[in-house]
Short mmCIF file of all heavy atoms in Angstrom, two decimals:
data_model
loop_
_atom_site.label_atom_id
_atom_site.label_comp_id
_atom_site.label_asym_id
_atom_site.label_seq_id
_atom_site.Cartn_x
_atom_site.Cartn_y
_atom_site.Cartn_z
N ALA B 577 -70.97 72.97 7.36
CA ALA B 577 -71.59 73.21 6.06
C ALA B 577 -72.06 71.89 5.45
O ALA B 577 -71.32 70.91 5.41
CB ALA B 577 -70.61 73.89 5.12
N PRO B 578 -73.30 71.84 4.97
CA PRO B 578 -73.82 70.60 4.39
C PRO B 578 -73.09 70.23 3.12
O PRO B 578 -72.79 71.08 2.29
CB PRO B 578 -75.29 70.93 4.10
CG PRO B 578 -75.33 72.42 3.98
CD PRO B 578 -74.26 72.94 4.90
N GLN B 579 -72.80 68.97 2.98
CA GLN B 579 -72.13 68.48 1.79
C GLN B 579 -73.15 67.83 0.86
O GLN B 579 -73.87 66.91 1.26
CB GLN B 579 -71.06 67.44 2.17
CG GLN B 579 -70.00 67.98 3.11
CD GLN B 579 -69.18 69.08 2.47
OE1 GLN B 579 -68.71 68.93 1.34
NE2 GLN B 579 -69.01 70.19 3.18
N VAL B 580 -73.24 68.35 -0.33
CA VAL B 580 -74.18 67.81 -1.30
C VAL B 580 -73.52 66.67 -2.05
O VAL B 580 -72.51 66.86 -2.73
CB VAL B 580 -74.64 68.90 -2.30
CG1 VAL B 580 -75.62 68.31 -3.30
CG2 VAL B 580 -75.26 70.08 -1.55
N ALA B 581 -74.06 65.49 -1.89
CA ALA B 581 -73.46 64.31 -2.51
C ALA B 581 -73.71 64.33 -4.01
O ALA B 581 -74.82 64.62 -4.46
CB ALA B 581 -74.04 63.05 -1.90
N GLU B 582 -72.65 64.03 -4.76
CA GLU B 582 -72.80 63.92 -6.21
C GLU B 582 -73.54 62.64 -6.55
O GLU B 582 -73.29 61.60 -5.97
CB GLU B 582 -71.43 63.90 -6.88
CG GLU B 582 -70.68 65.21 -6.86
CD GLU B 582 -69.36 65.09 -7.59
OE1 GLU B 582 -68.45 64.46 -7.02
OE2 GLU B 582 -69.24 65.61 -8.71
N THR B 583 -74.45 62.74 -7.49
CA THR B 583 -75.16 61.54 -7.95
C THR B 583 -74.86 61.23 -9.41
O THR B 583 -75.16 60.14 -9.87
CB THR B 583 -76.68 61.70 -7.77
OG1 THR B 583 -77.13 62.81 -8.54
CG2 THR B 583 -77.03 61.89 -6.31
N ARG B 584 -74.27 62.20 -10.12
CA ARG B 584 -73.92 61.99 -11.52
C ARG B 584 -72.51 62.52 -11.78
O ARG B 584 -72.15 63.59 -11.30
CB ARG B 584 -74.91 62.70 -12.46
CG ARG B 584 -76.29 62.07 -12.47
CD ARG B 584 -77.22 62.80 -13.43
NE ARG B 584 -78.53 62.18 -13.46
CZ ARG B 584 -78.88 61.19 -14.26
NH1 ARG B 584 -77.99 60.71 -15.13
NH2 ARG B 584 -80.10 60.68 -14.24
N LEU B 585 -71.74 61.76 -12.55
CA LEU B 585 -70.41 62.16 -12.96
C LEU B 585 -70.35 62.19 -14.47
O LEU B 585 -71.02 61.39 -15.13
CB LEU B 585 -69.35 61.20 -12.40
CG LEU B 585 -69.28 61.02 -10.88
CD1 LEU B 585 -68.28 59.93 -10.52
CD2 LEU B 585 -68.94 62.33 -10.19
N ARG B 586 -69.55 63.09 -15.01
CA ARG B 586 -69.43 63.17 -16.47
C ARG B 586 -67.98 63.46 -16.83
O ARG B 586 -67.32 64.29 -16.21
CB ARG B 586 -70.34 64.26 -17.03
CG ARG B 586 -70.34 64.31 -18.55
CD ARG B 586 -71.19 65.44 -19.08
NE ARG B 586 -71.22 65.41 -20.54
CZ ARG B 586 -72.20 64.92 -21.27
NH1 ARG B 586 -73.26 64.42 -20.67
NH2 ARG B 586 -72.13 64.91 -22.58
N ALA B 587 -67.50 62.76 -17.84
CA ALA B 587 -66.17 63.00 -18.40
C ALA B 587 -66.28 62.84 -19.91
O ALA B 587 -66.38 61.73 -20.42
CB ALA B 587 -65.14 62.02 -17.82
N GLY B 588 -66.30 63.94 -20.60
CA GLY B 588 -66.48 63.89 -22.05
C GLY B 588 -67.81 63.27 -22.42
O GLY B 588 -68.87 63.72 -21.99
N THR B 589 -67.77 62.19 -23.20
CA THR B 589 -68.99 61.51 -23.65
C THR B 589 -69.46 60.42 -22.70
O THR B 589 -70.45 59.74 -22.98
CB THR B 589 -68.77 60.90 -25.05
OG1 THR B 589 -67.70 59.96 -24.97
CG2 THR B 589 -68.43 61.98 -26.07
N VAL B 590 -68.73 60.25 -21.58
CA VAL B 590 -69.08 59.20 -20.62
C VAL B 590 -69.85 59.81 -19.46
O VAL B 590 -69.42 60.79 -18.85
CB VAL B 590 -67.81 58.49 -20.09
CG1 VAL B 590 -68.19 57.37 -19.12
CG2 VAL B 590 -66.99 57.93 -21.25
N GLU B 591 -71.00 59.22 -19.15
CA GLU B 591 -71.83 59.67 -18.04
C GLU B 591 -72.06 58.52 -17.07
O GLU B 591 -72.25 57.38 -17.49
CB GLU B 591 -73.18 60.18 -18.54
CG GLU B 591 -73.10 61.42 -19.42
CD GLU B 591 -74.47 61.84 -19.89
OE1 GLU B 591 -75.14 62.59 -19.16
OE2 GLU B 591 -74.86 61.39 -20.99
N MET B 592 -72.03 58.84 -15.78
CA MET B 592 -72.22 57.83 -14.75
C MET B 592 -73.32 58.28 -13.80
O MET B 592 -73.24 59.38 -13.25
CB MET B 592 -70.91 57.58 -14.00
CG MET B 592 -71.05 56.66 -12.79
SD MET B 592 -69.45 56.31 -11.99
CE MET B 592 -68.79 55.05 -13.09
N ASP B 593 -74.31 57.43 -13.58
CA ASP B 593 -75.37 57.68 -12.62
C ASP B 593 -75.08 56.81 -11.39
O ASP B 593 -75.22 55.59 -11.44
CB ASP B 593 -76.73 57.32 -13.23
CG ASP B 593 -77.90 57.70 -12.33
OD1 ASP B 593 -77.75 57.63 -11.09
OD2 ASP B 593 -78.97 58.06 -12.86
N LEU B 594 -74.66 57.45 -10.30
CA LEU B 594 -74.24 56.71 -9.11
C LEU B 594 -75.41 56.06 -8.39
O LEU B 594 -75.23 55.05 -7.69
CB LEU B 594 -73.49 57.64 -8.16
CG LEU B 594 -72.16 58.20 -8.70
CD1 LEU B 594 -71.64 59.29 -7.79
CD2 LEU B 594 -71.13 57.08 -8.85
N LEU B 595 -76.60 56.63 -8.51
CA LEU B 595 -77.76 56.05 -7.85
C LEU B 595 -78.30 54.86 -8.62
O LEU B 595 -78.59 53.81 -8.03
CB LEU B 595 -78.86 57.12 -7.69
CG LEU B 595 -78.51 58.30 -6.78
CD1 LEU B 595 -79.69 59.27 -6.71
CD2 LEU B 595 -78.14 57.83 -5.37
N ALA B 596 -78.43 55.01 -9.92
CA ALA B 596 -78.94 53.92 -10.75
C ALA B 596 -77.87 52.89 -11.07
O ALA B 596 -78.18 51.80 -11.57
CB ALA B 596 -79.52 54.47 -12.05
N ARG B 597 -76.59 53.23 -10.76
CA ARG B 597 -75.46 52.36 -11.06
C ARG B 597 -75.39 52.06 -12.56
O ARG B 597 -75.18 50.92 -12.98
CB ARG B 597 -75.53 51.05 -10.26
CG ARG B 597 -75.71 51.20 -8.77
CD ARG B 597 -74.56 51.88 -8.10
NE ARG B 597 -73.35 51.06 -8.06
CZ ARG B 597 -72.19 51.49 -7.54
NH1 ARG B 597 -72.08 52.73 -7.08
NH2 ARG B 597 -71.15 50.70 -7.54
N GLU B 598 -75.56 53.12 -13.35
CA GLU B 598 -75.53 52.98 -14.81
C GLU B 598 -74.44 53.85 -15.41
O GLU B 598 -74.16 54.95 -14.90
CB GLU B 598 -76.87 53.39 -15.42
CG GLU B 598 -78.00 52.41 -15.16
CD GLU B 598 -79.29 52.82 -15.85
OE1 GLU B 598 -79.36 53.97 -16.38
OE2 GLU B 598 -80.23 52.01 -15.85
N VAL B 599 -73.86 53.37 -16.49
CA VAL B 599 -72.87 54.12 -17.26
C VAL B 599 -73.33 54.19 -18.70
O VAL B 599 -73.79 53.17 -19.26
CB VAL B 599 -71.47 53.46 -17.17
CG1 VAL B 599 -70.49 54.15 -18.13
CG2 VAL B 599 -70.95 53.51 -15.75
N ARG B 600 -73.22 55.35 -19.29
CA ARG B 600 -73.56 55.51 -20.70
C ARG B 600 -72.44 56.26 -21.41
O ARG B 600 -71.82 57.15 -20.84
CB ARG B 600 -74.88 56.30 -20.86
CG ARG B 600 -76.08 55.55 -20.33
CD ARG B 600 -77.38 56.33 -20.50
NE ARG B 600 -78.50 55.59 -19.91
CZ ARG B 600 -79.20 54.66 -20.55
NH1 ARG B 600 -78.91 54.38 -21.83
NH2 ARG B 600 -80.18 54.02 -19.95
N ARG B 601 -72.21 55.87 -22.67
CA ARG B 601 -71.30 56.60 -23.53
C ARG B 601 -72.05 56.98 -24.78
O ARG B 601 -72.64 56.11 -25.44
CB ARG B 601 -70.05 55.80 -23.87
CG ARG B 601 -69.10 56.64 -24.72
CD ARG B 601 -67.73 56.06 -24.91
NE ARG B 601 -66.90 57.02 -25.63
CZ ARG B 601 -65.70 56.77 -26.11
NH1 ARG B 601 -65.16 55.57 -25.93
NH2 ARG B 601 -65.03 57.70 -26.77
N ASP B 602 -72.03 58.27 -25.08
CA ASP B 602 -72.81 58.78 -26.22
C ASP B 602 -74.28 58.39 -26.08
O ASP B 602 -74.97 58.12 -27.07
CB ASP B 602 -72.25 58.27 -27.55
CG ASP B 602 -70.84 58.78 -27.81
OD1 ASP B 602 -70.59 59.97 -27.55
OD2 ASP B 602 -70.00 57.98 -28.26
N GLY B 603 -74.76 58.31 -24.83
CA GLY B 603 -76.15 57.98 -24.58
C GLY B 603 -76.47 56.50 -24.56
O GLY B 603 -77.59 56.11 -24.21
N GLU B 604 -75.52 55.65 -24.95
CA GLU B 604 -75.76 54.21 -25.00
C GLU B 604 -75.28 53.53 -23.72
O GLU B 604 -74.18 53.82 -23.22
CB GLU B 604 -75.06 53.60 -26.21
CG GLU B 604 -75.62 54.08 -27.54
CD GLU B 604 -74.97 53.37 -28.71
OE1 GLU B 604 -74.29 52.34 -28.49
OE2 GLU B 604 -75.11 53.86 -29.85
N LEU B 605 -76.09 52.63 -23.20
CA LEU B 605 -75.78 51.95 -21.95
C LEU B 605 -74.55 51.06 -22.10
O LEU B 605 -74.41 50.32 -23.07
CB LEU B 605 -76.98 51.10 -21.53
CG LEU B 605 -76.88 50.43 -20.15
CD1 LEU B 605 -76.86 51.48 -19.04
CD2 LEU B 605 -78.08 49.50 -19.96
N VAL B 606 -73.65 51.14 -21.12
CA VAL B 606 -72.45 50.30 -21.06
C VAL B 606 -72.58 49.43 -19.80
O VAL B 606 -72.65 49.95 -18.69
CB VAL B 606 -71.16 51.14 -20.99
CG1 VAL B 606 -69.94 50.23 -20.90
CG2 VAL B 606 -71.07 52.09 -22.17
N THR B 607 -72.62 48.13 -19.98
CA THR B 607 -72.80 47.22 -18.84
C THR B 607 -71.45 46.89 -18.22
O THR B 607 -70.56 46.37 -18.88
CB THR B 607 -73.49 45.92 -19.29
OG1 THR B 607 -74.75 46.27 -19.91
CG2 THR B 607 -73.75 45.01 -18.10
N LEU B 608 -71.31 47.21 -16.93
CA LEU B 608 -70.05 46.99 -16.22
C LEU B 608 -70.25 46.09 -15.02
O LEU B 608 -71.31 46.11 -14.38
CB LEU B 608 -69.46 48.32 -15.75
CG LEU B 608 -69.12 49.37 -16.81
CD1 LEU B 608 -68.57 50.62 -16.15
CD2 LEU B 608 -68.13 48.82 -17.83
N GLN B 609 -69.22 45.32 -14.69
CA GLN B 609 -69.19 44.57 -13.45
C GLN B 609 -68.89 45.53 -12.29
O GLN B 609 -68.38 46.63 -12.50
CB GLN B 609 -68.12 43.48 -13.53
CG GLN B 609 -68.41 42.41 -14.57
CD GLN B 609 -69.69 41.66 -14.28
OE1 GLN B 609 -69.94 41.26 -13.14
NE2 GLN B 609 -70.53 41.49 -15.30
N PRO B 610 -69.24 45.14 -11.04
CA PRO B 610 -69.07 46.06 -9.91
C PRO B 610 -67.67 46.68 -9.79
O PRO B 610 -67.55 47.89 -9.57
CB PRO B 610 -69.39 45.17 -8.70
CG PRO B 610 -70.37 44.18 -9.24
CD PRO B 610 -69.91 43.89 -10.64
N LYS B 611 -66.61 45.89 -9.93
CA LYS B 611 -65.26 46.45 -9.81
C LYS B 611 -64.93 47.36 -10.99
O LYS B 611 -64.21 48.35 -10.83
CB LYS B 611 -64.22 45.33 -9.70
CG LYS B 611 -64.19 44.64 -8.34
CD LYS B 611 -63.85 45.60 -7.21
CE LYS B 611 -63.73 44.86 -5.88
NZ LYS B 611 -63.53 45.79 -4.74
N GLU B 612 -65.45 47.04 -12.16
CA GLU B 612 -65.24 47.90 -13.33
C GLU B 612 -65.94 49.25 -13.11
O GLU B 612 -65.38 50.30 -13.42
CB GLU B 612 -65.77 47.23 -14.58
CG GLU B 612 -65.01 45.96 -14.96
CD GLU B 612 -65.73 45.11 -15.99
OE1 GLU B 612 -66.90 45.40 -16.30
OE2 GLU B 612 -65.12 44.14 -16.48
N PHE B 613 -67.14 49.18 -12.54
CA PHE B 613 -67.89 50.40 -12.24
C PHE B 613 -67.12 51.25 -11.23
O PHE B 613 -66.96 52.46 -11.40
CB PHE B 613 -69.27 50.04 -11.69
CG PHE B 613 -70.18 51.24 -11.47
CD1 PHE B 613 -71.08 51.62 -12.45
CD2 PHE B 613 -70.12 51.96 -10.29
CE1 PHE B 613 -71.93 52.70 -12.25
CE2 PHE B 613 -70.95 53.05 -10.08
CZ PHE B 613 -71.86 53.43 -11.07
N ARG B 614 -66.63 50.60 -10.18
CA ARG B 614 -65.90 51.32 -9.12
C ARG B 614 -64.60 51.91 -9.66
O ARG B 614 -64.22 53.03 -9.28
CB ARG B 614 -65.62 50.35 -7.97
CG ARG B 614 -64.93 50.97 -6.77
CD ARG B 614 -65.82 51.96 -6.06
NE ARG B 614 -65.04 52.68 -5.05
CZ ARG B 614 -64.36 53.79 -5.31
NH1 ARG B 614 -64.37 54.32 -6.52
NH2 ARG B 614 -63.67 54.37 -4.36
N LEU B 615 -63.93 51.19 -10.54
CA LEU B 615 -62.70 51.67 -11.15
C LEU B 615 -62.98 52.90 -12.01
O LEU B 615 -62.27 53.92 -11.92
CB LEU B 615 -62.08 50.56 -11.99
CG LEU B 615 -60.82 50.89 -12.80
CD1 LEU B 615 -59.71 51.37 -11.89
CD2 LEU B 615 -60.38 49.66 -13.60
N LEU B 616 -64.02 52.83 -12.81
CA LEU B 616 -64.38 53.97 -13.66
C LEU B 616 -64.80 55.16 -12.80
O LEU B 616 -64.46 56.31 -13.11
CB LEU B 616 -65.51 53.58 -14.61
CG LEU B 616 -66.00 54.69 -15.55
CD1 LEU B 616 -64.87 55.20 -16.44
CD2 LEU B 616 -67.18 54.20 -16.39
N GLU B 617 -65.52 54.90 -11.73
CA GLU B 617 -65.94 55.98 -10.83
C GLU B 617 -64.72 56.73 -10.29
O GLU B 617 -64.69 57.96 -10.25
CB GLU B 617 -66.76 55.42 -9.67
CG GLU B 617 -67.19 56.49 -8.67
CD GLU B 617 -67.85 55.91 -7.43
OE1 GLU B 617 -68.18 54.70 -7.42
OE2 GLU B 617 -68.03 56.65 -6.46
N GLU B 618 -63.70 55.98 -9.89
CA GLU B 618 -62.49 56.62 -9.35
C GLU B 618 -61.82 57.48 -10.40
O GLU B 618 -61.36 58.59 -10.12
CB GLU B 618 -61.54 55.55 -8.83
CG GLU B 618 -60.45 56.08 -7.92
CD GLU B 618 -60.99 56.73 -6.67
OE1 GLU B 618 -61.97 56.24 -6.08
OE2 GLU B 618 -60.41 57.77 -6.28
N LEU B 619 -61.75 56.98 -11.62
CA LEU B 619 -61.14 57.77 -12.70
C LEU B 619 -61.97 59.01 -13.01
O LEU B 619 -61.42 60.10 -13.23
CB LEU B 619 -61.01 56.91 -13.96
CG LEU B 619 -60.03 55.73 -13.89
CD1 LEU B 619 -60.10 54.91 -15.17
CD2 LEU B 619 -58.60 56.22 -13.65
N MET B 620 -63.30 58.88 -13.00
CA MET B 620 -64.16 60.00 -13.33
C MET B 620 -64.19 61.06 -12.23
O MET B 620 -64.37 62.24 -12.50
CB MET B 620 -65.57 59.51 -13.65
CG MET B 620 -65.64 58.72 -14.95
SD MET B 620 -67.31 58.21 -15.42
CE MET B 620 -68.03 59.78 -15.91
N ARG B 621 -64.00 60.64 -11.00
CA ARG B 621 -63.93 61.63 -9.90
C ARG B 621 -62.66 62.47 -10.02
O ARG B 621 -62.57 63.54 -9.40
CB ARG B 621 -63.98 60.92 -8.55
CG ARG B 621 -65.36 60.39 -8.19
CD ARG B 621 -65.42 59.90 -6.77
NE ARG B 621 -66.72 59.35 -6.42
CZ ARG B 621 -67.79 60.08 -6.07
NH1 ARG B 621 -67.70 61.38 -6.01
NH2 ARG B 621 -68.94 59.48 -5.78
N HIS B 622 -61.70 61.98 -10.77
CA HIS B 622 -60.44 62.71 -10.98
C HIS B 622 -60.21 62.93 -12.47
O HIS B 622 -59.07 62.87 -12.93
CB HIS B 622 -59.28 61.94 -10.35
CG HIS B 622 -59.43 61.71 -8.87
ND1 HIS B 622 -59.05 62.63 -7.93
CD2 HIS B 622 -59.98 60.66 -8.19
CE1 HIS B 622 -59.33 62.17 -6.73
NE2 HIS B 622 -59.88 60.98 -6.85
N ALA B 623 -61.30 63.19 -13.19
CA ALA B 623 -61.21 63.34 -14.64
C ALA B 623 -60.17 64.39 -15.02
O ALA B 623 -60.10 65.47 -14.43
CB ALA B 623 -62.58 63.73 -15.22
#
Side-chain angles (χ1 to χ4, degrees):
Q579 301 296 312
V580 180
E582 289 182 287
T583 60
R584 291 180 179 272
L585 301 174
R586 185 183 183 100
T589 60
V590 182
E591 295 179 87
M592 173 176 281
D593 187 326
L594 295 170
L595 295 180
R597 308 295 290 178
E598 289 183 350
V599 172
R600 294 180 183 274
R601 183 169 185 189
D602 296 317
E604 295 184 14
L605 187 66
V606 179
T607 303
L608 300 179
Q609 295 298 314
K611 285 300 184 185
E612 294 166 351
F613 185 95
R614 183 67 189 88
L615 176 58
L616 179 60
E617 178 187 349
E618 196 62 39
L619 293 175
M620 291 184 72
R621 286 189 182 279
H622 301 275

